[in-house]
């Protein structure tokens, strides 16, 4: 928004969120069919909490999860750097001459997921945007609870600041991820600013993030419906992440409570059928109130991390991300 400081009615001109986005009629048939398929797959399926997280990870890696694994990129490489507790692996998919670097942090409730489980998304940044995508294989809870994951992401960001130009030929950096990865992206930006006096990122691409670990109203009100996530899942993920320590009101745990001033432009992507929708609505508002450029893309009917599914809504959301990055 172009600010006109001479306009006394500036605040009255700020557009509100269009309520029509939340109307059932706004959901296209393809998105509705995907949601129905997800519910059919997950409703009555074995409870993921009946097995240790390590077993769930192993089964997913073998293709035994509720959804088939995404294809691996043949050009992906692994770079190993020094982490806070030993070697830290970064998965890199890069064009020959990168125009920038996307530091990617995967989701999975801080307990699941891996850097090699979303290569098509990383390829999107390499192919369509010309960015080198660098995904962090951070330590996972509950074996490595808070602050292990944030510590690893902080180390990866500092490595990029130190070595990015020499390795990739550019210092144009953006950061982002989905779900817990969006949370860790914001925590990483805050840590670099607070602990190191660094604000190296030109933008943040944040998808379906969780920013209040005490749980926002939309999470608490969601209930048992298993559309990727439900209330119980989110509660248990938080409990696993904070198994040993962590104040839910501390900015390093719940960045919704942070001083957000001086952070880069951010695009918040969220679907209306995501229990975490309040997290994006609240954080996008706080981001703007702190004086930062904030863009909120709300997608009718989109489930949690719907961008992992090949549907028209995903293609529209990716096009919006492409435009956002191009504008930085």
């Amino acid at each position: 928004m172009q600010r006109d400081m001479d306009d006394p009615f500036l605040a009255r001109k700020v557009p509100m969120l269009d309520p029509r986005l939340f109307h059932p009629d706004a959901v296209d048939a393809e998105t509705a069919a995907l949601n129905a398929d997800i519910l059919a797959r997950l409703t009555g399926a074995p409870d993921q909490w009946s097995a240790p997280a390590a077993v769930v990870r192993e089964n997913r890696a073998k293709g035994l999860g509720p959804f088939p694994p995404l294809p691996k990129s043949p050009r992906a490489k692994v770079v190993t750097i020094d982490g806070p507790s030993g070697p830290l692996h970064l998965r890199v998919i890069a064009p020959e001459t990168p125009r920038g670097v996307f530091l990617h942090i995967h989701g999975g409730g801080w307990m699941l997921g891996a850097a090699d489980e979303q290569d098509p998304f990383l390829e999107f940044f390499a192919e369509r945007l010309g960015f080198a995508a660098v995904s962090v294989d951070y330590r996972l809870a509950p074996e490595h609870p808070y602050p292990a994951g944030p510590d690893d992401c902080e180390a990866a960001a500092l490595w990029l600041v130190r070595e990015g130009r020499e390795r990739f030929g550019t210092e144009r950096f953006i950061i982002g991820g989905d779900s817990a990865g969006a949370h860790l992206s914001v925590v990483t930006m805050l840590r670099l600013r607070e602990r190191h006096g660094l604000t190296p990122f030109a933008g943040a691409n944040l998808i379906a993030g969780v920013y209040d670990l005490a749980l926002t109203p939309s999470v608490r009100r969601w209930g048992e419906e298993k559309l990727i996530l439900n209330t119980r899942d989110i509660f248990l993920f938080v409990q696993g992440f904070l198994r040993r320590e962590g104040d839910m009101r501390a900015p390093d745990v719940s960045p919704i409570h942070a001083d957000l001033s001086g952070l880069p432009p951010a695009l918040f992507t969220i679907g209306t059928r995501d229990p975490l929708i309040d997290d994006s609505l609240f954080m996008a508002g706080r981001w703007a109130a702190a004086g930062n450029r904030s863009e909120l893309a709300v997608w009718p009917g989109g489930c949690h991390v719907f961008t992992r599914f090949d549907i028209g809504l995903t293609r529209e959301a990716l096009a919006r991300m492409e435009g956002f990055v191009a504008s930085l």
Side-chain angles (χ1 to χ4, degrees):
M1 180 184 68
Q2 181 63 45
R3 297 177 64 185
D4 182 357
M5 301 309 295
D6 296 326
D7 184 354
F9 302 106
L10 174 65
R12 300 182 189 179
K13 294 183 178 180
V14 176
M16 294 294 291
L17 187 64
D18 191 338
R20 291 174 296 181
L21 294 168
F22 296 85
H23 195 279
D25 291 345
V27 182
D28 65 76
E30 184 183 32
T31 302
L34 171 65
N35 290 346
D37 177 65
I38 292 171
L39 284 170
R41 287 173 182 260
L42 298 182
T43 301
D47 183 4
Q48 73 183 51
W49 301 103
S50 64
V55 173
V56 176
R57 290 181 217 129
E58 183 179 356
N59 287 339
R60 290 188 177 190
K62 293 177 179 177
L64 301 177
F67 304 101
L70 297 176
K72 301 288 193 290
S73 171
R75 62 171 170 168
K77 299 179 181 179
V78 175
V79 174
T80 302
I81 67 173
D82 292 331
S85 68
L88 176 60
H89 304 301
L90 310 175
R91 187 171 181 84
V92 179
I93 297 176
E96 187 171 337
T97 307
R99 297 175 52 237
V101 181
F102 174 42
L103 184 65
H104 173 263
I105 305 177
H106 70 77
W110 310 279
M111 296 173 65
L112 305 175
D116 66 351
E117 291 186 0
Q118 58 283 306
D119 280 4
F121 184 64
L122 304 184
E123 283 281 6
F124 165 77
F125 274 83
E127 285 295 317
R128 293 285 295 272
L129 298 172
F131 272 60
V134 179
S135 190
V136 186
D137 233 345
Y138 57 91
R139 287 170 291 167
L140 298 175
E143 299 93 332
H144 304 285
Y146 173 86
D151 288 349
D152 286 351
C153 295
E154 178 185 0
L158 291 172
W159 170 86
L160 182 61
V161 171
R162 291 193 308 269
E163 302 192 21
R165 171 167 286 282
E166 180 178 354
R167 184 174 290 269
F168 300 106
T170 178
E171 290 181 316
R172 186 186 183 197
F173 305 144
I174 61 173
I175 190 171
D178 60 81
S179 196
H183 164 272
L184 290 169
S185 296
V186 177
V187 168
T188 298
M189 286 186 281
L190 292 169
R191 284 185 171 209
L192 262 61
R193 186 195 67 187
E194 294 298 311
R195 299 181 178 187
H196 309 282
L198 298 172
T199 54
F201 296 104
N205 186 54
L206 305 171
I207 304 169
V210 51
Y211 308 113
D212 185 354
L213 273 62
L215 308 187
T216 53
S218 63
V219 174
R220 292 177 177 272
R221 292 172 56 85
W222 180 267
E224 297 180 0
E225 186 181 43
K226 187 76 169 179
L227 190 56
I228 302 294
L229 285 176
N230 60 24
T231 299
R232 173 175 175 254
D233 293 329
I234 298 169
F235 174 80
L236 291 175
F237 277 132
V238 170
Q239 295 303 304
F241 179 53
L242 300 180
R243 186 164 61 90
R244 292 181 185 161
E245 60 179 291
D247 177 358
M248 287 186 185
R249 293 187 179 182
D252 198 52
V253 172
S254 293
I256 194 77
H257 294 288
D259 169 10
L260 301 173
S261 60
L263 294 180
L267 172 63
F268 297 87
T269 297
I270 191 70
T272 62
R273 293 287 291 134
D274 189 329
L276 290 166
I277 187 166
D278 278 357
D279 287 73
S280 287
L281 298 182
F282 296 172
M283 191 57 128
R286 289 216 62 236
W287 207 269
N292 308 311
R293 175 181 156 197
S294 178
E295 296 187 21
L296 176 64
V298 177
W299 299 97
C303 66
H304 185 62
V305 294
F306 70 89
T307 49
R308 291 178 65 92
F309 298 93
D310 186 16
I311 59 173
L313 198 71
T314 294
R315 291 186 284 276
E316 291 183 54
L318 291 176
R320 176 71 182 270
M321 294 177 204
E322 184 176 3
F324 170 73
V325 173
S327 73
L328 298 174

